[in-house]
Every structure is written in C-alpha cells, then in structure tokens.
C-alpha cells in the first residue's frame, strides 16, 4: 500500500484499527503480529518482505484498500500490479456499490468518509453518484453534500429524491450539533446588547456599572485606627435589556459559492436557518458567484437553500456586497458576514470601498475565509491584508467557534480570532 493510502485511509493506524506507532515495551506485539501489521499498512507489495499472508477479514480489508490505492500494472480491477498507482474499482456501478458496502463493514465511519473522498477525487466516481443505488450505499458527510451540490444541475429526476434524503440526513445531524449552543450564545449577546440606563436591581450589569463609575471612587477613613476603605458611588447604572420579541439586529450572510467553498456553504446554510428561527434577528442569506442570488425566502429549510446554490463558476464579491449594501436599513444594528476565499473576479478597489463605507456607517463587518473544520484554506492574501487594514480582519472559522464570532459582532466587541499560529 502506498504512503498516501497509509496516511489518509488508515489514519496512522493499521487496518485493524490498532495504532502502529505508539508501541511500548509492555505492549509491543510478537514478531508475527508486528509483521502482520506492517503487511496491512504497506499493502500487497510488502508480502514477500514481511513474509506474511493475509486471510479472512484481513484479506478482505486489504482487498478493499488495494482497490482504491493499489498499483495497476495492467491487472484487472481489484488487483495490484507493479506499475504506477491506479484504480481497481472498475467502471460499473455494481462493483463500486459492493466496494462501498465493504469499506463500511470493515472501517469506522471517519475512515470511510476519507476513502470515499479519495475515491471520488482519484477515480472520477462523481458520475456514479447520480445513481440512486450508489447514494444509498455511501456514508453521508459534509464533503459528500458538497459533491452532490456540484452535480445538482446534471442530476436526473430519479436521483434527486435520494440525493435530498442524503443531504437532509447531514443537515439534521449538523442542526442537532450546532443549534442549541448557537441559540444560547446569541440570545445572551442580544440581551446584553440592549442595555438600559434605569435597570431594575436584578437587571444591573455590575461589571460595566462599576467600570463606568470608577471616577466616582471615594476613600473612607478607617475608624479607631483601622485601615481606610473605599467605595464606588454609582451615579449611572447600566443594565441588561429585558428580552423582547422585537427585532434587535439584522444579519446578512454573504456566501461565496465557488467550488472551493463547498463545506462553508453547507455550514453557513445550517447556521442561516438557525439564525432565521430567532425572532430577535432579521437574517438574510445571499449566495454569489458572478451572479447574486437571495435565498432568504428559503431559510426555513436549509436543504432547499443548498439545492438553490450552484457550486462552481467565477466570483464577483463586489457585486455581491453591492447587493447586500442596498439591503441595509439600520447600519448601527447590522452585522454583515462575508464568507469567501477572496479570489475576486470583479472590481477589487470598488469591493474595498464598499467595505470601508459599510464600516464607516456603523455596520459590523466580519470576513471568514472558511466556515469549516478543514483547517487552513487557500485564499487571496493581498485582499485579506487590505480588509485587515480596514478593520475587517479575514480569518478561517470552525463551526464550533461561529456562535462566539457572531456574539462578539452583535455586542460590538473585539472578535475572538483564533490563534494566529493556527491561521493561514
């Protein structure tokens, strides 16, 4: 097996799930077991050097990995030759469906998802995902949803219902994971953002009240030779606003739907639906490539939002921001979140002028290079630096951090930007 397969498919474990590189003297296996593990990691080409022959489930697991990562060398699908690396799954949907079933049997879901992505990227299996029986066999995840969305326009009607079911499963799982924390974090931020000057005692924000009245600090001499004490006279009380059903903040999510942003589009659509369900927020969802599409009326169902996108194509950030700017009616109470890799195909200087104008009017402007768990994205460094100079730093954000980013923007306090060492 190749180094690529060892790294991506086995996740630094042998194919039985046991860690290869963390042995200690007390846990080190016997020579025979060690050779078996190396044979599983290195693949069929190592059979002679390891002196190990696989049988039973080990052989089946080796075959499933060999079909994806093995060398071709002129052999039929399923075998390895001595030539360059090539596919072994064949071209028929039935053989691929069987292979998908095999890997789900032998490997944990996290490894299955990696192998599926590798199969799509390395073997060109995208077309086979247009068949319902194939979709029923795959392990659904965010990356698969992105692939399905990119195939949306080519998808036959007989497949769309199955595709929507796959996307629905992923969206429902994401909502369960993200909704409660998002609601709790933003509800608190919205309540704190509505500060009042004559609060009831239970609504006083003591931290801000004390800081606002430090100039009124009085020293009180001690009695009977005791030490001096002090107190703050609170001339001005600051309190939390009482929760209300009126709209307090406007949020505009402006999402780049170029192909590289697939995972971000999925997460942003889920967050958009969550935000839209909060009555104290007025949420607008805008997606763009070289055209701009407003999907706000579909926010009650993120699956409809996702199938309303069209991944791929060019990018015109300036046009998208112009549309968003035209929808702002309360600048001081508006948060604009641009989710893009910043590869601008439109007018760069106009884009920057729009951002500067929005910020000058009081808009809180947030730039996310990615909204995903994928790590450092590729992005336009020059545009990111220019936005940072305008006070709109661009950075990648994981889904778990997004509620905190939004809460900070709502409260108009510094954004909790991830550690620069983890940023691109």
């Amino acid at each position: 097996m190749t180094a690529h397969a060892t790294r991506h498919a086995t996740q630094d474990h042998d194919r039985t799930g046991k860690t290869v590189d963390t042995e200690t003297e007390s846990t080190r296996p016997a020579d025979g077991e060690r050779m078996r593990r190396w044979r599983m990691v290195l693949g069929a080409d190592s059979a002679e050097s390891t002196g190990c022959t696989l049988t039973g489930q080990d052989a089946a697991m080796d075959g499933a990995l060999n079909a994806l990562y093995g060398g071709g060398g002129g052999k039929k699908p399923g075998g390895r030759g001595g030539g360059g690396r090539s596919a072994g799954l064949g071209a028929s949907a039935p053989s691929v469906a069987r292979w998908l079933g095999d890997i789900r049997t032998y490997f944990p879901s996290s490894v299955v998802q990696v192998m599926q992505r590798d199969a799509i990227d390395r073997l060109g299996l995208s077309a086979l995902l247009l068949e319902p029986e194939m979709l029923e066999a795959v392990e659904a995840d965010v990356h698969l949803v992105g692939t399905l969305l990119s195939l949306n326009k080519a998808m036959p009607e007989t497949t769309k219902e199955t595709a929507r079911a796959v996307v629905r499963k992923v969206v429902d799982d994401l909502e369960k994971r993200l909704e409660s924390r998002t609601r709790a974090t933003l509800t608190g931020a919205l309540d704190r953002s509505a500060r009042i000057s004559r609060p009831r005692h239970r609504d006083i924000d003591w931290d801000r009240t004390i800081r606002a009245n430090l100039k009124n600090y009085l020293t009180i001499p001690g009695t009977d030779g005791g030490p001096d004490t002090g107190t703050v006279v609170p001339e001005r009380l600051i309190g939390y606003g009482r929760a209300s059903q009126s709209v307090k903040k406007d949020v505009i999510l402006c999402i780049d739907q170029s192909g590289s942003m697939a995972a971000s589009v999925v997460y942003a659509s889920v967050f958009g639906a969550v935000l839209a369900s909060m009555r104290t927020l007025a949420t607008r969802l805008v997606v763009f490539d070289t055209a701009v599409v407003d999907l706000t009326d579909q926010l009650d169902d993120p699956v409809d939002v996702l199938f309303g996108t069209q991944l791929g194509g060019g990018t015109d950030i300036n046009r998208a921001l112009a549309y968003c700017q035209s929808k702002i009616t309360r600048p001081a109470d508006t948060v604009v979140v641009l989710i893009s890799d910043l590869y601008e195909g439109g007018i760069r200087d106009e884009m920057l002028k729009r951002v500067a104008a929005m910020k000058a009017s009081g808009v809180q402007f947030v730039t996310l290079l990615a909204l995903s768990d994928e790590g450092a994205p590729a992005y336009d460094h020059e545009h990111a630096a220019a936005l940072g100079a305008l006070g709109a730093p661009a950075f990648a954000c994981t889904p778990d951090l997004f509620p905190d980013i939004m809460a900070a923007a709502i409260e108009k306090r510094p954004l909790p930007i991830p550690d620069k060492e983890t940023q691109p």
Side-chain angles (χ1 to χ4, degrees):
M1 183 178 173
T2 65
H4 175 92
T6 302
R7 181 172 65 254
H8 292 290
T10 64
Q11 301 289 292
D12 293 328
H13 290 66
D14 74 3
R15 300 176 196 171
T16 64
K18 298 176 183 177
T19 304
V20 173
D21 57 355
T22 58
E23 296 174 357
T24 64
E25 291 294 336
S26 61
T27 63
R28 184 168 295 154
D31 287 344
E33 173 65 8
R34 185 184 300 112
M35 288 299 101
R36 170 188 163 276
R37 294 187 185 186
W38 279 114
R39 167 63 182 80
M40 292 291 290
V41 169
L42 298 175
D45 292 341
S46 70
E48 183 175 347
S49 61
T50 59
C52 181
T53 301
L54 301 178
T55 60
Q57 181 170 305
D58 285 349
M61 294 167 68
D62 182 67
L65 286 163
N66 184 59
L68 176 58
Y69 299 107
K75 285 197 174 186
K76 293 181 180 180
R80 293 187 191 182
R85 194 166 57 195
S86 68
L89 296 180
S92 68
S95 72
V96 179
R98 284 194 298 272
W99 178 79
L100 287 168
D102 286 344
I103 65 174
R104 293 179 72 176
T105 298
Y106 301 130
F107 301 98
S109 62
S110 59
V111 176
V112 169
Q113 291 169 9
V114 173
M115 293 177 72
Q116 285 178 175
R117 293 201 297 273
D118 282 350
I120 292 170
D121 293 341
R122 293 160 57 85
L123 309 183
L125 297 185
S126 296
L128 292 177
L129 292 177
L130 300 181
E131 302 184 24
E133 61 269 26
M134 283 290 294
L135 285 178
E136 292 171 356
V138 295
E139 186 80 21
D141 68 345
V142 170
H143 300 280
L144 178 64
V145 170
T147 300
L148 291 177
L149 296 180
S150 68
L151 298 171
N152 184 23
K153 301 304 179 183
M155 194 174 292
E157 290 299 323
T158 54
T159 306
K160 284 190 175 181
E161 184 176 349
T162 306
R164 287 183 72 90
V166 172
V167 174
R168 173 74 62 190
K169 180 179 183 300
V170 174
V171 166
D172 288 347
D173 289 345
L174 290 177
E175 282 191 308
K176 290 177 184 176
R177 168 188 158 191
L178 302 171
E179 182 174 16
S180 59
R181 182 168 179 273
T182 301
R183 281 181 168 276
T185 301
L186 296 191
T187 297
L190 287 164
D191 285 344
R192 288 190 294 273
S193 69
R195 308 227 174 249
I196 55 179
S197 58
R198 298 182 63 184
R200 302 175 186 178
H201 184 272
R202 63 183 177 182
D203 295 332
I204 295 174
D205 182 341
W206 287 108
D207 180 62
R208 287 178 177 261
T209 294
I210 291 172
R211 281 190 282 137
N213 289 278
L214 285 176
K215 62 182 179 180
N216 301 321
Y217 183 85
L218 297 179
T219 300
I220 302 174
T223 59
D224 299 327
D228 294 344
T229 59
T231 187
V232 173
V233 179
E235 292 183 352
R236 182 167 66 94
L237 298 177
I238 300 175
Y240 299 124
R242 303 299 295 166
S244 70
Q245 297 303 312
S246 61
V247 173
K248 296 177 180 176
K249 295 288 181 180
D250 297 334
V251 175
I252 301 177
L253 299 179
C254 186
I255 309 169
D256 183 344
Q257 61 175 349
S258 57
S260 61
M261 302 297 293
S264 297
V265 170
V266 176
Y267 280 115
S269 298
V270 172
F271 277 119
V274 173
L275 298 180
S277 68
M278 301 178 64
R279 295 183 180 180
T280 50
L281 289 176
T283 303
R284 182 177 295 275
L285 181 66
V286 177
V287 299
F288 67 93
D289 42 32
T290 52
V292 180
V293 180
D294 193 324
L295 297 176
T296 303
D297 60 349
Q298 299 178 36
L299 269 176
D300 59 331
D301 188 345
V303 175
D304 287 341
V305 169
L306 289 171
F307 277 92
T309 63
Q310 183 175 345
L311 293 176
T315 308
D316 193 337
I317 303 173
N318 178 55
R319 175 177 291 187
L321 291 181
Y323 178 83
C324 294
Q325 191 176 24
S326 72
K327 299 298 179 181
I328 297 173
T329 58
R330 305 188 304 157
D333 293 312
T334 298
V335 178
V336 174
V337 182
L338 171 64
I339 304 174
S340 173
D341 54 18
L342 301 180
Y343 288 111
E344 170 66 317
I347 307 173
R348 174 185 183 272
D349 291 342
E350 287 296 316
M351 176 191 77
L352 296 175
K353 287 179 181 178
R354 291 191 191 281
V355 174
M358 283 189 272
K359 287 189 62 65
S361 68
V363 171
Q364 294 296 107
F365 195 93
V366 180
T367 309
L368 301 181
L369 300 170
L371 178 56
S372 70
D373 289 310
E374 296 178 315
Y379 68 101
D380 189 304
H381 290 253
E382 183 179 352
H383 288 165
L387 287 172
L390 294 175
F395 56 95
C397 173
T398 65
D400 289 336
L401 182 61
F402 184 74
D404 295 326
I405 296 290
M406 289 301 300
I410 286 171
E411 295 184 73
K412 298 185 177 182
R413 55 183 171 82
L415 302 178
I417 298 174
D419 188 349
K420 290 184 178 180
E421 292 183 0
T422 66
Q423 287 294 299

